[in-house]
């Protein structure tokens, strides 16, 4: 007769036991006896194996539940041997013979939201316990009735490896012997209403190639021997606010592809991309989300594997190699990070344990209707811990130099893209998401504390105050913020026929009213060249020559304007088509003169930008900028001075936004002396008309624009010019 009751047997074979360790394995039965039990649905026989004994277990249920009463009270080491229906035999150490691994302190820190390395505890971790090799599996599912690990090692059967829950932490764990790196797994979760969910590991570090969604047991440590020590050491001591930052934004899946439109791998991309970025003199690259996501066309913003670089392009160590190559060539690497929302795919985070766990239940708080996604519950400590540890994971394991945080505006405002009645005010009746704001402050505080020299960048499209103000002064604490206002105003201006630009010069000058209210990055990102917005080149008015001239003028104005720089891939070759994430950039365009010369222009522009401190050293204060004239609307000409610290270096910047050359054009200059032309976007080597000035222009004692000195220039059509002040 079975020792277990009928209800207990039913509970075990139906996998509904909250703590199977009470019943399975070697357990005390009474004062004189032990009992051993195991579930193995694929075995017709099961044996207990010790050093000197082999005991056949009683099969007490046809679903594969075995048990045996053992005389004595002293516990001992043992294994199970199973015999399948076809006679095949296999052995394993009993997973129910191991004590809990995750400590009470780990659980305490996690439940209060401050376990910054919780990714070392939750997920799947190969290890050796009591001399036995296996994998510790753990996940957070506080409202589950039962959680099991399923995989290719147990025929995906949730009855075999039912996990234990650790106290009231909501964490489930089990150590499974003989599971090895490369095995596939998921978590099978039985909800309180009996529904079975098959979920990928929220902390998984490597996944199957889409459309498959299983996690892969993988230890990312020691997979790559880093050789970027010089970069990492140097990074800590750099004041990036006073350094040139010129970012090349890249979507790895469509930057370049193999013949047959197949993806390049991380290693090939590293070699090709680093050469291109260095040739064009960019200082950093920014990758659209590299974390695992299910659809190629999603661009990566629908993240389902927050701790895993996408397997589309290779293994985790291949991405490490990619970052390492960039660093060895003095190129920094930023990644887009998406804590603002996550997709509803049934295999991922959504309704993870049958309840709104990572998200809010109420759609007025928990859903982005526009994007069809869930919103993280930032007020839940374990959810906040998940995101904080994820940010630190990329900075530590992959040596990432900074995080560009996506959709910050959607995080900080409860009414973002919502009508009246579609949102819930905060406890003070306001529209600010207080929990999200606290999360962002903690994110920036912790990231800088543990990784000095890294940057955090906010994509924040509103006038939310203090985005880049330090946390201790009441701000969110980001290093930089994308200047979306500048982007919208400037592109709107450039899209207009030059005949009408004189009526819209305010679009150019307005940004200088707020240019120093935050630490800005001037961003021309992927969002500006999709969905019918046209490529940058095709936004420009006029015939083909004027389009290219306008494009060079736009770039020269952008690089002279205060703020760091970001350009999306394709900008450097004057891509004609909109960005298509399913195909490579049109590299064949470089065989044509205007495209090839645009590439040359961007190379030179970045080179000049990096060379002259006036263009980057004082980006976030009026000390680095001074208007010369913004009132010449009739000619659509503006001019200003960029200055380095203590005005040790001065560069005068002049822009003619019409296709009409302006001869004998006088502008005031800050000092008496010689002004050397260092850039003219109309030079013939850039596909310009070749209208030029002497390389050195001498100032005259003729007052102009409120200054005692002035210079006379010929302004080329649709051109920007930089003149460096030389004392002579």
């Amino acid at each position: 007769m079975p020792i277990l009751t009928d209800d207990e047997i039913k509970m075990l074979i139906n996998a509904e036991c909250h703590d199977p360790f009470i019943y399975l394995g070697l357990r005390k039965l009474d004062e004189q006896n032990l009992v051993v039990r195991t579930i193995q649905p694929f075995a017709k026989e099961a044996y207990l194996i010790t050093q000197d004994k082999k005991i056949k277990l009683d099969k007490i249920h046809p679903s594969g539940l075995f048990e045996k009463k053992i005389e004595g009270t002293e516990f001992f080491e043992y294994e199970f041997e199973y015999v399948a229906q076809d006679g095949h035999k296999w052995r394993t150490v009993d997973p129910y013979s191991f004590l809990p691994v995750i400590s009470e302190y780990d659980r305490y820190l996690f439940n209060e939201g401050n376990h910054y390395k919780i990714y070392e505890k939750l997920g799947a971790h190969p290890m050796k316990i009591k001399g036995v090799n296996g994998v510790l599996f753990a996940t957070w599912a506080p409202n589950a009735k039962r959680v099991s690990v399923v995989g290719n090692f147990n025929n995906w059967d949730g009855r075999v490896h039912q996990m234990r829950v650790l106290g009231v932490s909501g964490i489930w764990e089990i150590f499974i012997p003989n599971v090895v790196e490369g095995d596939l797994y998921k978590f099978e979760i039985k909800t309180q209403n009996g529904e079975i969910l098959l979920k990928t590991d929220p902390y998984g570090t490597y996944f199957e190639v889409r459309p498959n969604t299983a996690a892969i047991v993988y230890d990312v440590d020691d997979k790559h021997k880093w050789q970027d020590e010089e970069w990492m050491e140097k990074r800590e001591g750099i004041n990036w606010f006073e350094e040139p930052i010129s970012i090349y934004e890249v979507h790895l899946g469509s930057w370049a592809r193999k013949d047959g439109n197949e993806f390049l791998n991380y290693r090939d991309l590293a070699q090709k991309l680093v050469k291109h970025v260095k040739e064009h003199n960019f200082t950093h690259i920014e990758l659209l989300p590299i974390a695992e996501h299910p659809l190629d066309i999603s661009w990566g913003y629908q993240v389902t594997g927050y701790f895993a670089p996408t397997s589309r392009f290779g293994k985790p160590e291949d991405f490490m190699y990619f970052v390492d190559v960039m660093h060895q060539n003095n190129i920094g690497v930023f990644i887009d990070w998406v804590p603002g929302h996550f997709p509803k795919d049934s295999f991922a985070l959504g309704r993870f344990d049958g309840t709104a766990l990572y998200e809010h239940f109420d759609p007025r708080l928990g859903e982005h209707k526009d994007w069809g996604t869930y919103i993280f519950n930032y007020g839940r400590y374990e959810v906040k811990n998940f995101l904080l540890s994820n940010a630190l994971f990329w900075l530590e394991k992959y040596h990432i130099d900074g995080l560009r945080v996506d959709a910050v505006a959607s995080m900080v405002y409860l009414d973002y893209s919502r009508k009246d009645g579609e949102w819930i005010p905060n406890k003070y009746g306001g529209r600010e998401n207080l929990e999200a704001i606290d999360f962002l402050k903690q994110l920036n505080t912790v990231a800088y504390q543990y990784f000095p020299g890294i940057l955090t960048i906010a994509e924040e499209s509103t006038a939310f105050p203090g985005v880049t103000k330090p946390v201790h002064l009441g701000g969110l604490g980001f290093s930089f913020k994308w200047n979306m206002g500048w982007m919208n105003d400037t592109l709107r201006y450039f899209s207009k026929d030059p005949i009408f630009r004189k009526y819209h010069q305010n679009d150019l000058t307005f940004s200088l009213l707020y240019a120093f209210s935050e630490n800005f990055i001037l961003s021309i990102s992927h969002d500006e060249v999709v969905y019918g917005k046209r490529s940058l080149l095709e936004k420009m008015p006029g015939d083909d020559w004027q389009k290219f001239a306008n494009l060079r003028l736009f770039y020269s104005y952008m690089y002279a304007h205060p703020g760091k720089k970001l350009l999306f891939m394709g900008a450097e070759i004057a891509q004609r088509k909109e960005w298509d994430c399913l195909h490579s950039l049109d590299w064949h365009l470089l065989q044509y003169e205007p495209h090839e010369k645009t590439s040359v222009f961007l190379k030179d522009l970045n080179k000049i930008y990096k060379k002259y401190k006036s263009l980057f050293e004082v980006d976030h204060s009026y000390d680095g900028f001074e208007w010369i004239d913004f009132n010449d609307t009739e000619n659509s000409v503006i001019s200003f001075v960029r200055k380095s610290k203590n005005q040790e270096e001065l560069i005068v910047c002049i822009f003619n936004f019409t296709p009409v050359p302006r001869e004998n054009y006088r502008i005031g200059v800050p000092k008496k002396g010689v002004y050397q032309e260092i850039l003219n976007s109309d030079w013939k080597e850039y596909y310009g008309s070749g209208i030029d000035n002497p390389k050195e222009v001498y100032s005259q004692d003729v007052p102009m624009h409120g200054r005692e000195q002035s210079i006379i220039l010929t302004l080329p059509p649709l051109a920007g010019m930089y003149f460096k002040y030389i004392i002579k």
Side-chain angles (χ1 to χ4, degrees):
M1 290 290 293
I3 300 170
L4 291 171
T5 67
D6 290 344
D7 286 343
E8 290 171 332
I9 292 173
K10 183 178 179 181
M11 179 176 58
L12 286 170
I13 64 171
N14 289 337
E16 292 183 339
C17 186
H18 205 61
D19 188 359
F21 282 76
I22 295 174
Y23 302 98
L24 300 178
L26 186 63
R27 296 291 174 260
K28 186 176 180 180
L29 179 61
D30 52 39
E31 295 301 322
Q32 288 83 35
N33 300 286
L34 303 173
V35 65
V36 65
R37 295 190 191 94
T38 183
I39 295 179
Q40 183 47 257
F42 310 105
K44 68 176 181 179
E45 297 175 1
Y47 295 87
L48 179 73
I49 308 296
T50 67
Q51 282 187 334
D52 55 0
K53 292 181 182 179
K54 180 176 182 180
I55 303 171
K56 186 176 182 180
L57 306 185
D58 300 324
K59 190 171 188 178
I60 63 173
H61 195 279
S63 293
L65 180 58
F66 300 85
E67 74 172 12
K68 192 71 174 180
K69 179 179 175 181
I70 308 293
E71 292 183 359
T73 58
E74 187 173 339
F75 287 83
F76 51 86
E77 300 292 327
Y78 65 97
E79 293 184 358
F80 287 129
E81 180 179 280
Y82 300 106
V83 181
Q85 296 295 333
D86 62 0
H88 170 69
K89 297 180 181 180
W90 72 99
R91 278 192 181 190
T92 181
V93 176
D94 184 8
Y96 296 97
S97 66
F98 295 91
L99 295 172
V101 176
I102 299 176
S103 71
E104 187 174 348
Y105 184 60
D106 286 323
R107 286 149 26 208
Y108 170 78
L109 286 178
F110 174 62
N111 289 142
E112 74 165 13
N114 292 319
H115 198 314
Y116 300 136
K117 290 191 175 184
I118 192 62
Y119 52 80
E120 294 182 347
K121 305 298 178 179
L122 300 185
H125 300 282
M127 60 179 61
K128 181 181 286 188
I129 300 178
K130 296 193 300 184
V132 178
N133 289 312
V135 174
L136 176 70
F137 293 93
T139 195
W140 178 60
N143 304 303
K145 190 172 187 178
R146 180 266 301 170
V147 182
S148 298
V149 180
V150 296
N152 62 326
F153 44 84
N154 62 15
N155 291 307
W156 302 91
D157 192 312
R159 296 170 293 178
V160 180
H161 292 120
Q162 301 174 49
M163 306 171 78
R164 63 152 59 95
V165 67
L166 300 177
V168 296
S169 67
I171 293 175
W172 301 72
E173 70 153 45
I174 190 171
F175 175 74
I176 306 179
N178 302 330
V179 176
V180 297
E181 191 168 85
D183 280 342
L184 305 179
Y185 74 98
K186 286 189 177 185
F187 294 113
E188 184 183 279
I189 297 174
K190 180 170 282 191
T191 69
Q192 291 297 330
N193 63 9
E195 184 182 3
I196 299 293
L197 306 177
L198 199 58
K199 293 289 190 175
T200 54
D201 182 3
Y203 292 85
T205 56
Y206 186 30
F207 287 87
E208 291 182 286
V209 177
R210 83 279 178 264
N212 297 323
T213 57
I216 301 172
V217 174
Y218 214 74
D219 186 354
V220 298
D221 292 329
D222 302 321
K223 284 291 191 297
H224 174 75
K225 184 174 176 56
W226 290 92
Q227 300 180 53
D228 62 349
E229 296 86 358
E230 183 178 346
W231 168 271
M232 296 295 283
E233 183 177 349
K234 178 181 69 174
R235 187 184 76 178
E236 289 191 18
I238 293 178
N239 179 1
W240 288 109
F241 300 106
E242 297 180 0
E243 292 294 321
I245 296 180
S246 178
I247 306 166
Y248 185 62
E249 189 189 25
V250 180
H251 178 255
L252 290 181
S254 59
W255 180 73
R257 292 197 177 192
K258 299 178 185 177
D259 293 340
N261 203 36
E262 295 180 355
F263 290 132
L264 293 168
N265 61 43
Y266 288 119
R267 292 177 182 267
D268 287 340
L269 282 164
Q271 297 302 324
K272 294 176 183 293
L273 186 57
V274 76
K275 181 176 183 232
H276 183 77
V277 172
K278 286 183 69 176
E279 284 179 351
H280 285 81
N281 294 301
F282 288 98
T283 64
H284 294 75
I285 62 171
E286 180 182 313
L287 303 178
L288 269 68
I290 203 67
E292 194 59 85
H293 51 280
L295 295 174
D296 297 342
I297 203 169
S298 76
W299 307 350
Y301 291 94
Q302 303 275 345
V303 177
T304 53
Y306 272 80
F307 288 83
T310 177
S311 55
R312 286 169 174 80
F313 314 121
K315 296 181 178 181
E317 61 264 35
D318 297 327
F319 183 57
M320 293 176 184
Y321 172 86
F322 175 94
V323 176
D324 204 351
V325 167
M326 295 297 161
H327 285 174
Q328 291 177 52
N329 286 274
N330 291 309
I331 303 296
V333 180
F334 302 143
I335 60 171
D336 276 11
W337 187 57
V338 191
H341 61 114
F342 60 93
K344 296 181 178 181
D345 299 68
S346 61
F347 64 86
L349 286 179
R351 302 299 195 261
F352 187 75
D353 62 1
T355 67
L357 186 62
Y358 285 87
E359 68 275 27
H360 289 276
F361 177 75
D362 191 324
R364 293 174 296 173
L365 292 171
E367 292 186 31
H368 275 307
K369 295 280 181 71
D370 293 351
W371 302 333
T373 54
Y374 288 130
I375 300 171
F376 284 105
N377 183 350
Y378 307 105
R380 192 161 197 167
Y381 294 143
E382 296 89 350
V383 174
K384 183 173 67 171
N385 206 152
F386 170 79
L387 291 171
L388 290 172
S389 67
N390 181 245
L392 300 181
F393 173 85
W394 290 102
L395 300 175
E396 178 184 356
K397 301 297 184 182
Y398 290 96
H399 292 199
I400 297 300
D401 301 294
L403 305 172
R404 178 268 196 183
V405 182
D406 179 62
V408 170
S410 76
M411 297 173 65
V412 298
Y413 287 117
L414 294 165
D415 63 345
Y416 180 85
S417 192
R418 296 175 188 272
K419 300 175 184 177
D420 289 344
E422 295 180 348
W423 60 284
I424 301 175
N426 63 35
K427 62 184 179 181
Y428 302 113
R431 56 196 285 255
E432 296 80 13
N433 188 331
L434 302 179
E435 290 82 8
I437 291 169
D438 287 343
F439 161 71
L440 291 171
K441 290 180 177 181
Q442 187 174 359
L443 164 71
N444 288 316
T445 300
V446 172
Y448 303 143
Q449 175 185 346
Y450 284 95
F451 299 95
I454 63 97
L455 302 175
T456 59
I457 303 163
E459 185 211 14
E460 204 286 308
S461 55
T462 73
F464 188 91
V467 173
T468 59
K469 194 175 182 180
V471 171
H472 69 275
L473 296 178
L476 293 184
F478 284 94
S479 311
F480 295 101
K481 168 182 172 175
W482 277 13
N483 195 333
M484 313 291 277
W486 171 87
M487 176 272 297
N488 283 310
D489 292 346
T490 307
L491 290 180
R492 182 170 61 248
Y493 177 86
F494 269 87
S495 69
K496 299 187 183 303
D497 188 299
I499 294 175
F500 304 110
R501 285 178 176 172
K502 63 183 178 181
Y503 304 112
H504 302 278
Q505 195 146 302
N506 184 59
D507 284 343
L508 284 182
T509 59
F510 179 70
S511 61
L512 271 305
L513 294 177
Y514 62 85
F516 312 111
S517 62
E518 301 276 7
N519 303 325
F520 282 119
I521 292 177
L522 308 183
S523 59
I524 300 298
S525 73
H526 60 281
D527 279 326
E528 313 318 319
V529 292
V530 290
Y531 297 146
K533 296 178 185 177
R534 297 172 294 170
S535 68
L536 280 181
L537 180 67
E538 295 302 328
K539 291 179 192 290
M540 304 299 165
D543 59 24
D544 218 43
W545 186 91
Q546 290 187 15
K547 285 180 182 293
F548 281 93
N550 268 303
L551 188 63
R552 296 190 304 273
L553 171 59
F554 173 79
Y555 292 154
S556 62
Y557 174 70
M558 174 182 180
Y559 274 71
H561 190 289
K564 309 307 182 185
K565 325 298 177 188
L566 178 143
L567 284 171
F568 185 55
M569 64 182 197
E572 75 280 22
I573 63 172
Q575 176 91 0
R576 288 187 179 273
K577 295 189 303 185
E578 282 191 342
W579 172 47
D580 175 5
C581 66
L582 298 178
H583 296 88
S584 169
L585 293 178
D586 291 334
W587 295 108
H588 65 276
L589 292 175
L590 288 173
Q591 66 185 301
Y592 303 110
E593 183 183 11
H595 296 276
E596 189 272 333
K597 288 187 173 179
T598 299
S599 176
V600 172
F601 177 70
L602 249 299
K603 292 175 183 177
D604 288 353
L605 184 59
N606 266 320
K607 186 176 182 180
I608 287 169
Y609 169 66
K610 290 161 63 176
K611 180 178 180 180
Y612 294 103
K613 292 183 177 181
S614 299
L615 297 175
F616 62 78
E617 195 172 45
V618 191
D619 258 330
H620 310 295
S621 162
Y622 279 108
D623 293 339
F625 176 89
E626 186 178 320
W627 280 114
I628 295 175
D629 182 30
F630 56 81
N631 290 315
D632 189 2
T633 57
E634 189 61 33
N635 292 312
S636 296
V637 174
I638 66 171
S639 52
F640 52 76
V641 183
R642 291 301 310 276
K643 299 176 285 186
S644 66
K645 278 185 175 180
N646 304 317
Q647 300 190 29
E648 294 174 352
E649 179 185 281
L650 300 174
I651 292 180
V652 173
C653 307
I654 311 101
F655 306 93
N656 177 13
F657 294 98
T658 69
V660 180
R662 311 287 179 187
E663 295 184 354
N664 298 314
Y665 192 92
R666 185 180 293 275
I667 68 166
V669 290
K671 291 184 179 181
K672 181 176 183 177
V674 178
Y675 290 82
Q676 180 185 54
E677 188 176 45
I678 58 175
L679 180 77
N680 182 339
S681 69
D682 192 55
W683 283 339
K684 285 189 174 180
E685 54 261 46
Y686 303 145
Y687 197 61
S689 67
I691 295 177
D692 204 0
N693 291 278
K695 288 300 180 186
E696 293 184 348
V697 179
Y698 291 79
S699 69
Q700 301 173 359
D701 296 325
V702 178
M704 190 67 182
H705 298 133
R707 303 166 190 277
E708 295 181 358
Q709 295 287 308
S710 61
I711 57 176
I712 293 180
L713 303 172
T714 297
L715 305 187
L718 296 172
M721 297 177 291
Y722 300 171
F723 289 87
K724 178 189 174 185
Y725 172 68
I726 301 175
I727 300 174
K728 279 194 177 182

